Amino acid sequence: MSGLLMPKADDSTMSRRSDIVTALRAIVPGEGVVDATNAMRVFESDALTAYRQLPLVVVLPQTVAQVSRVLKYCHENNVKVVPRGSGTSLSGGALPLEDAVLLVMSRFNQILEIDYPNRVAVVQPGVTNLGITNAVEHEGFYYAPDPSSQIACSIGGNVAENSGGVHCLKYGLTANNVLGLEMVLITGEVVRLGGKHLDSEGYDLLGLMTGSEGLLGVVTEVTVRILQKPATARALMVGFPTSEQAGKCVADIIAGGIIPGGMEMMDRPAIHAAEDFVHAGYPLDVEALLIIELDGPVVEVDHLISMVEAIAYKNGASTCVISQSEEERMAFWAGRKAAFPAVGRISPDYLCMDGTIPRKELPKVLAGMRELSEKYGLRVANVFHAGDGNLHPLILYDANIPEELHKAEDFGADILRLCVKVGGVLTGEHGVGVEKRELMPEMFNEIDLNQQIRVKCAFDDKHLLNPGKVFPQLHRCAELGRMHVHRGQVPFPEIPRF
Amino acid sequence: MSGLLMPKADDSTMSRRSDIVTALRAIVPGEGVVDATNAMRVFESDALTAYRQLPLVVVLPQTVAQVSRVLKYCHENNVKVVPRGSGTSLSGGALPLEDAVLLVMSRFNQILEIDYPNRVAVVQPGVTNLGITNAVEHEGFYYAPDPSSQIACSIGGNVAENSGGVHCLKYGLTANNVLGLEMVLITGEVVRLGGKHLDSEGYDLLGLMTGSEGLLGVVTEVTVRILQKPATARALMVGFPTSEQAGKCVADIIAGGIIPGGMEMMDRPAIHAAEDFVHAGYPLDVEALLIIELDGPVVEVDHLISMVEAIAYKNGASTCVISQSEEERMAFWAGRKAAFPAVGRISPDYLCMDGTIPRKELPKVLAGMRELSEKYGLRVANVFHAGDGNLHPLILYDANIPEELHKAEDFGADILRLCVKVGGVLTGEHGVGVEKRELMPEMFNEIDLNQQIRVKCAFDDKHLLNPGKVFPQLHRCAELGRMHVHRGQVPFPEIPRF
């Protein structure tokens, strides 16, 4: 493992490994407990592949009762637990710890109920994001949030990270599309939050769980909103001589009261990489490309398309193509959706960042990124959800060149600091995980962090769930009043023993 | 005070009253501390006027530093605090306690910033809901959530109750329209949550605060999303011979992929009361009336209006009028918006209930309510947000007839139990307050309630903030593991001394 300080493993847990494995086998029979090194290798990282670590043991439960008993056992025996869905996290949220049970939820893969009159689906957390849409599309419905990893990522992971996607500008993040959860607390107790209705009393624990990165509990059932497919969708592909013009176009569209189904921007390096890879028909003589999708009733879409076209030309668009068929619309998106692997073809390695900024700061942040690119001597390709200000700069580096990963990480941290400086935040949809853990004090002061950790303690007072993630330091809950988070330092996150 | 058990006042606090008043005067000078009985009388209830109680003392701070110092003083000296905005709560959330400081936020009435490019407004919590729209409408913007009390209710109160309104089907509740908060913890520490951006890392404390009913902290600044006014809005007024047909029409509109800006239903007693009061032109020969508003670009609205009209007639509408002018649209709404005072004209008193159900259960719940009405011998008028299943049954009673309030409360509790039974919840937008406190165990089991109280403890471990509201019993945080909430009982909520 390079470039990341992880908590020192707890010797007492390591020495009890065979007892722990035996106890888990008594709860989850058969193939459900994996402790052979080779078999565990497949779980040693998530999609933040720069960091790898074998877990203490892997457990794949199949029932809520098993999840409850595993967590109860771990709680009573002070064993740490890292929950994991499909392992597509880009921030290392599902990175195993050598002294923690890796609780893999992939066998929870059933769709339990589809209720069209109430427009909800009740699914197990291991169902993939796209699996929900696949199950309801024959009735004309779909599940709106669509992260790029939607073929593989699980809905439980989407809840943990509050995942977005190209359509979240209009249809919201995961938090806006989840109506109910069943979750198991570290004590083994099962809690139900929300349901099929829109409103709920009591504290908004549903919202709190969404985006909690596996630190508060383990989700065992998710009730999601399903939406009727819009009557039609059409896309515009608009090229601009400068990214400032593209940014102004985005602002004018929103200011015009138009909320596109998706509004994505790519810069020159991303455009070229994508075009070389999938031949989407992107113009190669522009600095910025917007893909703007309008969906809804046909008459509305036709009307909005012409409004957007006019706004684009007013802002100096050098090319503007409107999709005339479903095939053409899909082609426009193909390049955008393949942008990450496309960049992977032009660079041995890349770091995918995930900052969010107030929309109007786009030109300033793009200019700042160009300066940083020169400073670090590393290229950056930009692909982002322009409509909601969620940036995904891809920093290109070569892991075989000594110190390049380290340099890329520093570059990435500087980009995120820039995002915070203009009033934005460290992450949009990828989570904090281990990747942005050290940057939390850039965003939150000591009082803010203390309050978040107090909430963590209200769920998991022994800090057994996913320790070493999200928070730069852990603290005994009882000592919270005396806790200090040192701004600007990068403290070693040693986890206290209880 | 009748029909409500409130916590026994803490004698030690009562005996220190003059010391407390002196200490508060040192923090908030001038008119900011009110302790004369007559002057405090105006604060003795909120809009749940059946319950009245004088506070220990009233404080009206003007700065964040004053709020911080008041709370710090109360925390250090174990004095309870009830926060209050405009006092329009319908569930008794702002009901004073005789041994608690009433912290009134009405002097926080400034709009601090309007940022059109980012489409946000930063306001103090005492600004009224309508005050935000008034400040931005000259630029073509508005603030979407629109509770009926919007002329008077404060945005801080909206955050505390997660208020909705007739437009929340399409535009969301307060939680969906608040992007950032500044709040003061009971310790006096100031925390900032969220900001001007859409996404945020860290736990969703913003969501947790929204709907927390004054039990977690005191909001001192709110950043809200402002929306561009739609190009046009038109409404249909549709009458049906039965409420089942109206319910089916609502379901078919949603199933058709149409999300109206508002979709409201009234039953016969509500229609007649409203028509007698404001002469909106409502048909008097129908059992149910729908007011359905479509907003957006003109071409879209025209298209959707004709779709909705067809769905209405298919479901047996006996009358369907489409607004031909802004005046006519406003007239359709005038009756709906005046429904509560209109009902007040036909009955000496009424209780306004607030349950939410899955949309498709509407006919079942309406039938159940008719049975209950006969059982209790009390009339009920129904006004509700049909699109999102949020019911507002108004139970008519006469407080001068002995036991009628008590009977009305039992009737209301039965309605809410019916909502929970069909998969719904106890409240949509009015909060739990004192009104539905005893019903929380109908909805939540012991594990659920314990977890909510653990979260409460993470913010306010001495239970000083708004005690006696929301939770049927309070418990020492340290004893939470041994806590019991007795299902079905109505325990006396004595607040433990610390």
Side-chain angles (χ1 to χ4, degrees):
Chain A
M1 191 175 306
S2 91
L4 181 72
L5 295 173
M6 283 305 287
K8 189 176 169 304
D10 177 12
D11 293 334
S12 121
T13 305
M14 303 298 281
S15 67
R16 286 181 292 148
R17 182 170 188 254
S18 68
D19 291 349
I20 293 168
V21 170
T22 304
L24 293 175
R25 286 233 158 88
I27 299 170
V28 184
E31 314 274 287
V33 174
V34 178
D35 66 338
T37 302
N38 275 343
M40 294 199 302
R41 195 69 71 189
V42 65
F43 298 108
E44 72 181 356
S45 89
D46 57 21
L48 184 70
T49 52
Y51 306 117
R52 294 170 189 280
Q53 169 71 59
L54 280 177
L56 183 72
V57 54
V58 177
V59 186
L60 299 105
Q62 240 176 335
T63 67
V64 177
Q66 287 174 356
V67 174
S68 169
R69 287 180 61 201
V70 168
L71 292 177
K72 188 166 189 285
Y73 169 81
C74 290
H75 186 242
E76 285 171 357
N77 292 280
N78 297 318
V79 181
K80 295 166 195 162
V81 180
V82 176
R84 174 187 158 117
S86 300
T88 55
S89 168
L90 287 159
S91 60
L95 180 70
L97 302 176
E98 57 176 326
D99 60 345
V101 172
L102 188 70
L103 186 69
V104 179
M105 296 300 287
S106 54
R107 298 211 285 183
F108 276 73
N109 59 0
Q110 301 299 306
I111 292 180
L112 303 175
E113 185 193 353
I114 299 171
D115 177 350
Y116 291 108
N118 280 317
R119 303 177 91 199
V120 299
V122 182
V123 305
Q124 290 190 315
V127 170
T128 62
N129 174 291
L130 196 59
I132 302 175
T133 293
N134 288 344
V136 298
E137 66 183 350
H138 65 282
E139 292 281 348
F141 284 82
Y142 75 113
Y143 176 64
D146 56 345
S148 297
S149 58
Q150 67 182 141
I151 299 172
C153 64
S154 69
I155 188 71
N158 288 182
V159 170
E161 304 296 332
N162 193 15
S163 306
V166 301
H167 286 92
C168 70
L169 171 63
K170 183 168 180 181
Y171 296 104
L173 297 160
T174 301
N176 308 106
N177 290 276
V178 167
L179 296 173
L181 290 179
E182 180 189 73
M183 64 176 274
V184 185
L185 301 174
I186 185 67
T187 54
E189 292 170 303
V190 180
V191 177
R192 295 195 72 92
L193 310 173
K196 290 185 178 178
H197 36 71
L198 274 176
D199 311 317
S200 188
E201 73 279 89
Y203 292 127
D204 183 11
L205 301 187
L206 184 60
L208 188 63
M209 276 301 293
T210 311
S212 63
E213 304 196 26
L215 274 76
L216 301 185
V218 176
V219 170
T220 47
E221 187 191 290
V222 188
T223 301
V224 298
R225 188 198 307 266
I226 52 173
L227 299 182
Q228 187 110 6
K229 270 196 166 169
T232 192
R234 291 174 74 189
L236 299 94
M237 178 179 71
V238 193
F240 291 91
T242 67
S243 54
E244 281 73 14
Q245 287 167 304
K248 183 68 170 37
C249 180
V250 167
D252 284 357
I253 289 169
I254 298 287
I258 303 166
I259 308 286
M263 181 150 55
E264 299 286 306
M265 199 190 295
M266 299 164 74
D267 69 0
R268 177 182 276 267
I271 298 164
H272 282 247
E275 182 61 19
D276 286 352
F277 187 27
V278 299
H279 311 294
Y282 289 171
L284 297 175
D285 59 344
V286 300
E287 282 301 315
L289 188 71
L290 291 180
I291 311 284
I292 307 162
E293 183 165 295
L294 286 312
D295 59 10
V298 176
V299 288
E300 178 190 1
V301 170
D302 289 350
H303 174 71
L304 295 178
I305 284 269
S306 61
M307 279 179 72
V308 170
E309 187 182 21
I311 293 171
Y313 281 123
K314 202 196 78 193
N315 280 291
S318 54
T319 155
C320 179
V321 185
I322 299 166
S323 71
Q324 301 299 330
S325 66
E326 190 59 9
E327 291 66 38
E328 200 171 3
R329 182 180 76 88
M330 295 309 285
F332 290 177
W333 281 116
R336 166 63 187 87
K337 294 228 171 190
F340 288 15
V343 166
R345 291 171 76 241
I346 62 165
S347 173
D349 300 283
Y350 66 86
L351 267 188
C352 172
M353 307 309 294
D354 169 48
T356 300
I357 56 170
R359 251 184 318 255
K360 73 170 175 185
E361 305 294 347
L362 207 52
K364 190 190 293 181
V365 171
L366 287 174
M369 250 189 268
R370 277 193 296 271
E371 279 173 32
L372 288 169
S373 172
E374 278 173 36
K375 174 182 159 192
Y376 284 99
L378 291 174
R379 289 178 298 164
V380 60
N382 266 296
V383 175
F384 45 85
H385 309 311
D388 54 352
N390 184 196
L391 311 179
H392 289 316
L394 304 174
I395 300 172
L396 314 189
Y397 73 99
D398 183 347
N400 292 318
I401 300 175
E403 288 301 299
E404 271 225 335
L405 169 59
H406 199 74
K407 236 186 345 179
E409 288 179 329
D410 288 348
F411 184 0
D414 277 354
I415 291 175
L416 295 179
R417 285 190 189 99
L418 178 60
C419 290
V420 173
K421 203 174 138 196
V422 301
V425 295
L426 297 173
T427 171
E429 54 187 0
H430 295 175
V432 175
V434 295
E435 188 204 26
K436 279 157 282 192
R437 189 187 58 183
E438 262 57 84
L439 291 166
M440 287 284 277
E442 297 280 332
M443 180 75 210
F444 296 112
N445 65 21
E446 185 180 330
I447 296 170
D448 296 335
L449 278 175
N450 278 0
Q451 188 52 42
Q452 292 196 31
I453 294 170
R454 269 187 220 109
V455 171
K456 157 77 171 170
C457 292
F459 283 80
D460 175 23
D461 65 345
K462 292 180 171 184
H463 282 309
L464 294 173
L465 278 169
N466 220 3
K469 316 295 172 69
V470 181
F471 295 110
Q473 285 183 310
L474 291 181
H475 300 266
R476 289 171 207 270
C477 292
E479 287 176 2
L480 214 57
R482 301 195 299 277
M483 184 190 133
H484 291 283
V485 174
H486 302 287
R487 285 185 73 93
Q489 290 190 24
V490 183
F492 180 72
E494 181 164 328
I495 290 161
R497 295 196 193 91
F498 287 90
Chain B
M1 191 177 307
S2 93
L4 180 73
L5 294 172
M6 282 305 286
K8 188 176 170 302
D10 177 14
D11 293 335
S12 121
T13 305
M14 304 296 284
S15 68
R16 286 181 292 149
R17 182 170 187 254
S18 70
D19 289 349
I20 293 168
V21 169
T22 305
L24 294 174
R25 286 235 158 86
I27 300 170
V28 184
E31 316 273 287
V33 176
V34 178
D35 66 338
T37 302
N38 275 343
M40 294 200 300
R41 195 70 72 189
V42 66
F43 298 107
E44 71 180 354
S45 90
D46 56 23
L48 184 71
T49 51
Y51 306 118
R52 294 171 187 281
Q53 169 72 61
L54 279 178
L56 183 72
V57 55
V58 177
V59 185
L60 299 105
Q62 236 174 340
T63 68
V64 178
Q66 287 175 355
V67 174
S68 170
R69 287 180 63 200
V70 167
L71 292 177
K72 187 165 188 285
Y73 168 80
C74 289
H75 186 244
E76 285 170 357
N77 293 279
N78 297 317
V79 180
K80 296 167 197 163
V81 180
V82 175
R84 175 188 157 118
S86 300
T88 56
S89 168
L90 287 160
S91 60
L95 180 71
L97 302 175
E98 58 177 323
D99 60 345
V101 171
L102 188 71
L103 187 67
V104 179
M105 296 300 287
S106 55
R107 296 209 287 183
F108 277 73
N109 59 359
Q110 298 301 306
I111 292 179
L112 303 175
E113 185 193 351
I114 298 171
D115 177 349
Y116 292 108
N118 281 317
R119 304 176 88 199
V120 298
V122 183
V123 305
Q124 290 190 317
V127 171
T128 62
N129 174 292
L130 196 60
I132 301 175
T133 293
N134 288 345
V136 298
E137 65 183 353
H138 66 283
E139 292 282 344
F141 285 81
Y142 75 114
Y143 175 63
D146 55 345
S148 297
S149 57
Q150 68 183 137
I151 299 173
C153 65
S154 70
I155 188 71
N158 289 183
V159 169
E161 304 294 332
N162 192 15
S163 306
V166 301
H167 286 93
C168 68
L169 171 63
K170 183 168 181 180
Y171 296 104
L173 298 160
T174 301
N176 308 105
N177 290 278
V178 166
L179 296 172
L181 290 179
E182 179 187 74
M183 63 178 274
V184 185
L185 301 173
I186 185 68
T187 54
E189 293 169 303
V190 180
V191 177
R192 295 195 72 91
L193 309 173
K196 289 183 179 181
H197 35 73
L198 274 177
D199 312 318
S200 188
E201 74 281 87
Y203 293 127
D204 182 11
L205 302 187
L206 185 58
L208 189 63
M209 276 302 292
T210 312
S212 62
E213 306 196 23
L215 274 76
L216 300 184
V218 176
V219 170
T220 47
E221 187 190 290
V222 188
T223 302
V224 298
R225 188 200 305 268
I226 52 174
L227 299 182
Q228 188 110 7
K229 269 196 169 169
T232 190
R234 291 174 72 189
L236 299 94
M237 177 178 72
V238 192
F240 292 90
T242 67
S243 54
E244 283 72 16
Q245 288 166 304
K248 184 68 172 38
C249 179
V250 168
D252 284 357
I253 289 168
I254 298 288
I258 304 167
I259 308 286
M263 180 150 55
E264 299 285 307
M265 199 190 295
M266 299 165 74
D267 68 1
R268 177 183 277 269
I271 298 164
H272 282 248
E275 181 61 19
D276 285 353
F277 187 27
V278 298
H279 311 293
Y282 289 171
L284 296 174
D285 58 346
V286 299
E287 282 301 316
L289 188 74
L290 290 180
I291 311 285
I292 307 162
E293 183 164 295
L294 286 312
D295 59 10
V298 176
V299 287
E300 178 191 0
V301 170
D302 289 350
H303 174 71
L304 294 179
I305 284 269
S306 60
M307 280 180 72
V308 170
E309 186 182 22
I311 293 171
Y313 281 123
K314 203 195 79 193
N315 280 290
S318 54
T319 156
C320 178
V321 186
I322 299 166
S323 71
Q324 300 300 331
S325 66
E326 190 60 9
E327 290 66 38
E328 201 172 2
R329 183 179 76 86
M330 296 309 284
F332 290 177
W333 280 116
R336 165 62 187 89
K337 295 230 169 190
F340 288 14
V343 166
R345 292 172 74 239
I346 61 166
S347 172
D349 300 283
Y350 67 84
L351 267 189
C352 173
M353 306 309 294
D354 169 48
T356 300
I357 56 170
R359 250 183 320 252
K360 71 170 174 185
E361 306 292 350
L362 206 53
K364 190 191 292 181
V365 172
L366 287 175
M369 247 189 270
R370 275 193 296 269
E371 279 172 32
L372 289 170
S373 172
E374 279 173 35
K375 174 183 158 191
Y376 284 99
L378 291 175
R379 289 178 297 164
V380 59
N382 266 296
V383 175
F384 45 86
H385 310 310
D388 55 350
N390 185 193
L391 312 178
H392 289 316
L394 304 175
I395 299 171
L396 315 190
Y397 73 99
D398 183 347
N400 291 319
I401 300 175
E403 287 303 300
E404 271 224 336
L405 169 60
H406 200 73
K407 240 193 327 184
E409 287 179 329
D410 287 348
F411 184 1
D414 276 353
I415 291 175
L416 295 179
R417 285 191 190 97
L418 178 61
C419 291
V420 172
K421 203 173 137 198
V422 301
V425 294
L426 297 173
T427 170
E429 54 186 357
H430 297 174
V432 175
V434 294
E435 186 204 27
K436 279 157 283 192
R437 188 186 61 183
E438 261 58 85
L439 291 166
M440 286 286 275
E442 298 280 333
M443 181 75 211
F444 296 112
N445 64 22
E446 183 179 333
I447 297 171
D448 295 335
L449 278 175
N450 278 0
Q451 188 51 44
Q452 292 196 31
I453 294 170
R454 271 188 217 107
V455 171
K456 157 76 171 170
C457 292
F459 283 80
D460 176 23
D461 65 344
K462 292 179 171 183
H463 284 307
L464 295 173
L465 277 169
N466 218 4
K469 316 292 172 74
V470 180
F471 295 110
Q473 285 183 310
L474 290 181
H475 300 266
R476 287 171 209 272
C477 292
E479 287 175 4
L480 214 56
R482 300 195 298 280
M483 183 188 133
H484 291 282
V485 174
H486 303 286
R487 284 185 74 92
Q489 292 190 21
V490 184
F492 180 71
E494 180 163 330
I495 291 161
R497 297 198 190 89
F498 287 89

